[in-house]
Amino acid sequence: MMKKMGLFDTVKERWREPTPLEMVSRELAQAHIEKLEAETAVDYAQSIVDYNDVRIARLNAHLRTYKNEERAE
């Protein structure tokens, strides 16, 4: 059975130094969060690259069409 903590124990617990295990756990959790954020940024950046690849191909096709029309005139 767990010991009931009083107000003083609660305050004392809040101000104590974290153990190495607690610090490692917090840092590991933060590393996972930062990795997820970076993966989201990669997904976003890749979508911009893909969008511009399609855009460049479309614009090059238009450019070829207009150059061919100029030669035909």
Side-chain angles (χ1 to χ4, degrees):
M1 187 163 128
M2 285 188 64
K3 180 181 169 188
K4 188 173 175 184
M5 290 179 64
L7 179 59
F8 179 73
D9 292 327
T10 303
V11 171
K12 190 169 107 176
E13 176 69 19
R14 197 173 272 274
W15 291 102
R16 73 169 176 77
E17 289 290 320
T19 66
L21 179 60
E22 290 170 333
M23 291 188 70
V24 168
S25 295
R26 287 180 196 165
E27 189 172 339
L28 179 59
Q30 187 60 41
H32 280 290
I33 290 169
E34 290 174 12
K35 181 178 183 254
L36 288 169
E37 290 171 345
E39 288 172 342
T40 297
V42 167
D43 292 343
Y44 176 73
Q46 187 59 56
S47 70
I48 292 172
V49 169
D50 295 342
Y51 163 78
N52 281 304
D53 283 343
V54 170
R55 184 176 171 211
I56 289 167
R58 176 179 53 83
L59 292 171
N60 279 330
H62 283 300
L63 187 60
R64 283 190 299 274
T65 300
Y66 290 122
K67 282 184 177 180
N68 289 338
E69 286 177 5
E70 278 185 359
R71 287 187 200 146
E73 290 177 0

